[in-house]
Amino acid sequence: MRKMAKRTPLKDTVGYMLAHACKLHRQRAEALLNEIGLHVGQEMLMCGLWEKEGITQTELAEHMMIQPATVTNMLQRLEREGLVERRPDIEDQRISRVYPTEKGRNIEEEVQEKWTQLEQEAFGGLSVEESVLLRRLLLQVYQNLGGNK
């Protein structure tokens, strides 16, 4: 007769705690970003544009690891807010390139401030060494799950 290994109760697993921490982090990020008129995820799209203006919607989707249709919806909202604009590619009219507007460029500092506040709230009790270790461990989890393939 085979002995079954003792299982850790779900609520005592690392993954369970990670999922709950991620949920609270996302909720707090949403509250902070709402103060400047953004929703969670939109700041990541804007960061992609601040790093490289004029990228395609496909490149944005790949950069953010989300579906192109999701990027399209996000861009429509951001366009209505006057934060981004889509322009046809000069060489291939079938391709749209995305650019931050002046208003979109002007919120970069506010987004950075909100993200810094979130980092301080979430990780303020950790030492520098603990923060570095946590980041390294989360990167390993990310890679284990197929990130950056």
Side-chain angles (χ1 to χ4, degrees), residues 77-117:
R77 286 188 208 111
L78 291 168
E79 280 179 316
R80 281 194 301 269
E81 296 298 320
L83 297 170
V84 301
E85 62 183 351
R86 289 183 272 190
R87 300 181 208 151
D89 183 88
I90 295 169
E91 296 175 10
D92 187 345
Q93 297 292 306
R94 297 170 297 173
I95 297 173
S96 281
R97 297 205 170 266
V98 186
Y99 297 85
T101 62
E102 185 175 343
K103 182 179 176 183
R105 284 184 202 91
N106 289 340
I107 65 164
E108 183 175 3
E109 189 173 321
E110 286 180 286
V111 168
Q112 184 62 49
E113 287 171 6
K114 295 299 180 186
W115 200 257
T116 298
Q117 181 180 346

Side-chain angles (χ1 to χ4, degrees), residues 14 18 136-147:
V14 175
L18 179 61
R136 187 176 60 83
L137 293 171
L138 289 172
L139 180 60
Q140 183 64 55
V141 170
Y142 176 77
Q143 290 170 342
N144 289 350
L145 295 174

